[in-house]
Amino acid sequence: MNGLLEKVIENWLDSASEKTFQEAFCAMMAAEGHTIVHLTRHCAMELGKDILSISSDGRRCAFQLKGNPKSRLTLRQWRDEVSAQVIDLVAGKLVHPSLPDTSEHHRSFLVTNGDLDEEVTRAIDDMNGAWKQQGLPYKLEVYVRGQLLAMAKSLGEKLWPAELNDAKTLLELFLANGRSSLDKEKFVSLIESTLLLQDLDKAGETSVSGWKRLFSSATLLCAVATSNYRKQNNHVAEIEAWTLLLSHLYAAIDQHSIDPKLVASDLQIARDAVYNCMHKLYEELVTRDSLSEGDPLLDAQYPLLKVRTTWLVGLMSVFYIWRRELDEPSGEIDIKLIDFCRTHHKNMILIGESVIPMFLSTHWLFKWVGIEESSLLLGGLLRGLCELNAPRSEKALASPYYSSEQLIPYFAGVATDPIEDSFGGSSYAIGSVMDLCVRSNWKDLLQATWPDITRIGFKSFQYETPSDMLRWRVKNGTNTEVFQPHTQTWNSLVKSAAGHDGPSIPVALKSSVGFSIIYIMVCAFRMNSDIVRWIDEALLTLQTPKGKGSTKAISP
Amino acid sequence: MLPDYPEIKEKIANLLSDRLRRSMAEKLGFLGQIPKSIIQEGNRHVLIRDDGTTQETPYQKVSSSISITHDEMHSMETNVLFDKIDSAASELASQQAMMTFKTIDNEVSQAGNSVDANGAPFTAELFLNGLEKIQLDFDWVTQRPMLPSLVAHPSNMEKMKLELSRLDEDPTCRSRFESIIAKKKDEWIARESNRKLVG
């Protein structure tokens, strides 16, 4: 079993570019005790340092990654490309707010997944020797393929999937067609198994150091399992994978009472991976003439392009918001993001309740930047849900447990089996959408739609513990369906919609509003009124200058 | 291990599952037309009505077993396997129907909406007594009442149809029926007009 898995790792390492082994390398360093501080986005602003970290003995470290799959770093490559970058790596000052301020010079590493030509090894030795002779504190250290392989294997044979099912799952993901959607159920089963989320006995026996290695193992598994998606630049699939990894890491922290500081690096790696993939997606979108992908004749089949557009507009909307949350400097990127969403939002499709978070993401962007369409979007959603999900409706939107990929065949007319589930007369999203309309003070709209609203059961899932919200599926919990009182007062609705503390929301999600929005896009069945109200309020707070309040009621 | 054929077996399993589902739906009759909702996670279900009352529905298991002898395994033909599936479907449908009627019975008794004939045969008057106790909705467009479905044993079907025809043919029954429908319509209009957001 482990011989096979070692082959998978070797295979992955021998085909990875520097972009595709970055997160995995970080996971391995985290397992060695490093605190990862920064991962590069591989953008034009690259400053010769792909990764910054603090080693277990407190030393600052900088890493430059070079992809040489199944090959060697040649002398020519060293001279033409690498040596200049290495000078900056070694001699340049490390600037990052999370790095300790110390006079001791940092350690510098060149990391390659290939080997070095003898001449390169000699050149590095000579360079280091010269610096030493000059009394400079510079030294270039090197990690090559063999060491990376040993590090990956050394995470421990116990920590790799030991059960046949898990090994099979890893292989299936590793060999998946990177152009398709991520098989989220398969991916989550691998992560849940690694993090012992369903094996409480084994979890109880795991030591503190054991948890650290398990978390690094899960991070490394995510990187390996998604390598084909990364090779295909399937950014959305990667966003989903890293989002699910992060949420399950948080779930494991809560469930097993792990100190988050112990596994901070793995959380950072996953969070940065999500953000970096969003950026890469943006970079791709700005170079494209159209949003079509693959064979245009097949892509023209309804509703493929519309579903893709829905995802992209939703993601670029939240990317704008996340950038504001992180205080990224404003610039051309933000103008382009708004422009993209404004241009393409009319081509979004309400294929099922699973895409409502994408619409809400766009509504929040438009509201943030003051675009009138925000009210049309939200008002349209409420009216749409009232009509489509009325009792006995045959056009009812499928529940958010059905992803857009699952629903496409039914809209394209190529489904082979009917969905044996009924959606008319109830909705998971209507409560959230209604609350947002109430918070926007749209009394007229609510009065007009109230009779229809009372005919629809408000469905939701009540968790036994908040951290269950971070998991793909849970065994225990209550499926609830609530019918609104026939006669209701506006004040009651306002009071209910005003609540935004979100006591049922896990602290992990509350740590970032940007990530929360992405999470409910990836796991739409985890969207509920609590988290939507919390997000809405958090965005207001982010936008509002300190000490001033501002509410904007735009009538639909 | 002996030679196995998992891919073929998976296809066969899907076919048999399909047959089981269709067979069950057929045997359930109109109960099979009640909209179904798939539970994706969790272990409880709670309904909170518009009047604030709650109802928790415990999950109940329906099961049936199929046994095959070693001798049968060597000689069983497909139609025999299908018969066994249909038989299991019958049992499952029967269990599900019993559960459904038991639930309805409990709810109706709690609400005080049951009409007990005390063993007497079905009559138009009995039907009208029941109709008086239930809530009726009306079609918005045609304004016609959405009358309930009646469930009866096949042997009683003809007698019931005969009795129900009295609602139209017997002047007393017709008058009472029309009076009840008019009252129900007023109740419906009042109910619907209560669906409002005030203040």
Side-chain angles (χ1 to χ4, degrees), chain B residues 40 50 61 66 79 94 105 107 122 132 138 142 183:
Chain B
Q40 305 276 352
D50 54 78
K61 188 176 169 180
I66 297 175
N79 59 316
S94 168
D105 203 35
E107 292 300 311
F122 177 82
E132 274 198 294
F138 288 70
T142 63
K183 183 181 161 203

Side-chain angles (χ1 to χ4, degrees), chain A residues 46-71:
Chain A
E46 217 177 297
L47 296 169
K49 302 166 193 69
D50 293 326
I51 299 165
L52 299 178
S53 75
I54 305 166
S55 64
S56 53
D57 60 357
R59 286 284 298 273
R60 296 170 309 154
C61 301
F63 300 84
Q64 166 81 274
L65 272 56
K66 281 293 157 215
N68 295 97
K70 286 191 187 160
S71 65

Side-chain angles (χ1 to χ4, degrees), chain A residues 404-470:
Chain A
S404 39
E405 293 91 346
Q406 286 173 294
L407 296 173
I408 285 172
Y410 296 93
F411 283 76
V414 298
T416 49
D417 301 311
I419 297 181
E420 292 198 19
D421 202 346
S422 319
F423 310 115
S426 64
S427 162
Y428 280 85
I430 194 169
S432 304
V433 174
M434 184 185 83
D435 278 349
L436 288 179
C437 293
V438 172
R439 287 170 65 88
S440 299
N441 210 26
W442 298 342
K443 188 174 173 183
D444 289 347
L445 174 64
L446 266 299
Q447 279 178 334
T449 51
W450 188 254
D452 292 328
I453 288 172
T454 59
R455 294 191 185 93
I456 297 174
F458 284 30
K459 280 191 167 178
S460 65
F461 187 75
Q462 312 299 320
Y463 309 97
E464 282 199 349
T465 68
S467 65
D468 283 347
M469 195 178 178
L470 296 162

Side-chain angles (χ1 to χ4, degrees), chain A residues 292-406:
Chain A
S292 180
E293 183 67 54
D295 185 334
L297 180 64
L298 297 174
D299 209 45
Q301 169 66 50
Y302 174 85
L304 298 174
L305 185 54
K306 284 188 172 291
V307 170
R308 186 181 307 123
T309 304
T310 305
W311 261 100
L312 295 175
V313 174
L315 283 172
M316 290 300 98
S317 297
V318 67
F319 186 43
Y320 177 95
I321 291 169
W322 205 0
R323 283 175 49 80
R324 298 282 72 73
E325 184 185 9
L326 295 175
D327 247 334
E328 295 276 12
S330 299
E332 198 189 350
I333 177 176
D334 301 300
I335 297 169
K336 286 187 173 170
L337 284 170
I338 296 168
D339 193 49
F340 175 84
C341 295
R342 206 165 183 174
T343 305
H344 293 287
H345 83 279
K346 292 183 182 83
N347 292 321
M348 293 169 83
I349 181 174
L350 195 54
I351 195 172
E353 291 204 301
S354 58
V355 300
I356 287 184
M358 284 70 156
F359 280 82
L360 293 188
S361 173
T362 310
H363 155 73
W364 278 317
L365 166 69
F366 286 175
K367 192 174 162 191
W368 184 296
V369 299
I371 295 175
E372 282 285 334
E373 278 102 320
S374 81
S375 55
L376 291 173
L377 207 59
L378 192 61
L381 273 180
L382 184 64
R383 287 196 197 88
L385 282 167
C386 287
E387 185 191 325
L388 294 169
N389 282 53
R392 291 178 289 278
S393 165
E394 288 177 13
K395 297 178 292 179
L397 295 177
S399 85
Y401 286 96
Y402 293 85
S403 67
S404 39
E405 293 91 346
Q406 286 173 294

Side-chain angles (χ1 to χ4, degrees), chain A residues 24 125 211 308 414 522:
Chain A
D125 277 344
W211 279 119
R308 186 181 307 123
V414 298
V522 172

Side-chain angles (χ1 to χ4, degrees), chain B residues 2 4 10 31 36 48 52-53 61 73 92 101 123 134 156 159 189 191:
Chain B
L2 303 175
D4 199 1
E10 197 181 330
L31 284 181
K36 286 176 265 301
I48 301 174
T53 55
K61 188 176 169 180
M73 282 186 74
L92 290 170
F101 285 123
T123 60
I134 65 170
N156 292 333
K159 240 183 237 176
I189 290 169
R191 212 164 46 242

Side-chain angles (χ1 to χ4, degrees), chain B:
Chain B
M1 188 201 129
L2 303 175
D4 199 1
Y5 315 98
E7 291 87 7
I8 297 169
K9 280 183 178 176
E10 197 181 330
K11 282 188 184 160
I12 295 170
N14 287 341
L15 277 168
L16 294 179
S17 289
D18 236 7
R19 186 179 178 99
L20 183 74
R21 268 197 303 273
R22 278 186 280 113
S23 189
M24 261 188 83
E26 199 183 294
K27 288 165 194 346
L28 277 169
F30 93 96
L31 284 181
Q33 291 165 31
I34 298 174
K36 286 176 265 301
S37 195
I38 293 177
I39 306 296
Q40 305 276 352
E41 58 183 334
N43 58 348
R44 292 173 69 210
H45 183 274
V46 170
L47 170 71
I48 301 174
R49 300 188 187 89
D50 54 78
D51 60 4
T53 55
T54 64
Q55 177 189 329
E56 176 157 357
T57 311
Y59 293 164
Q60 294 174 68
K61 188 176 169 180
V62 292
S63 65
S64 174
S65 60
I66 297 175
S67 58
I68 302 172
T69 63
H70 286 293
D71 287 340
E72 275 180 312
M73 282 186 74
H74 284 284
S75 59
M76 192 160 62
E77 293 178 1
T78 312
N79 59 316
V80 174
L81 181 57
F82 282 168
D83 285 344
K84 286 184 184 281
I85 295 287
D86 290 343
S87 172
S90 275
E91 197 182 329
L92 290 170
S94 168
Q95 287 177 32
Q96 196 169 322
M98 271 171 52
M99 263 167 42
T100 306
F101 285 123
K102 192 175 172 195
T103 305
I104 293 171
D105 203 35
N106 285 343
E107 292 300 311
V108 160
S109 299
Q110 273 180 26
N113 279 352
S114 64
V115 173
D116 195 341
N118 290 316
F122 177 82
T123 60
E125 285 77 9
L126 207 61
F127 173 74
L128 289 169
N129 290 348
L131 200 64
E132 274 198 294
K133 287 180 178 281
I134 65 170
Q135 181 175 287
L136 275 188
D137 286 336
F138 288 70
D139 184 288
W140 280 100
V141 173
T142 63
Q143 297 285 293
R144 293 177 69 83
M146 293 180 191
L147 292 170
S149 302
L150 296 173
V151 181
H153 193 277
S155 61
N156 292 333
M157 203 57 85
E158 285 310 311
K159 240 183 237 176
M160 277 181 76
K161 277 185 186 171
L162 207 59
E163 277 298 311
L164 287 170
S165 68
R166 286 179 59 218
L167 294 175
D168 198 38
E169 289 157 12
D170 181 323
T172 312
C173 284
R174 188 167 76 213
S175 171
R176 192 178 161 207
F177 177 66
E178 285 170 355
S179 165
I180 292 171
I181 294 299
K183 183 181 161 203
K184 293 294 166 188
K185 190 165 185 186
D186 288 340
E187 286 172 5
W188 173 72
I189 290 169
R191 212 164 46 242
E192 290 301 306
S193 58
N194 270 345
R195 295 182 195 270
K196 57 192 174 192
L197 190 65
V198 300

Side-chain angles (χ1 to χ4, degrees), chain A residues 184 218 466 546:
Chain A
K184 291 184 270 288
K546 246 186 181 176

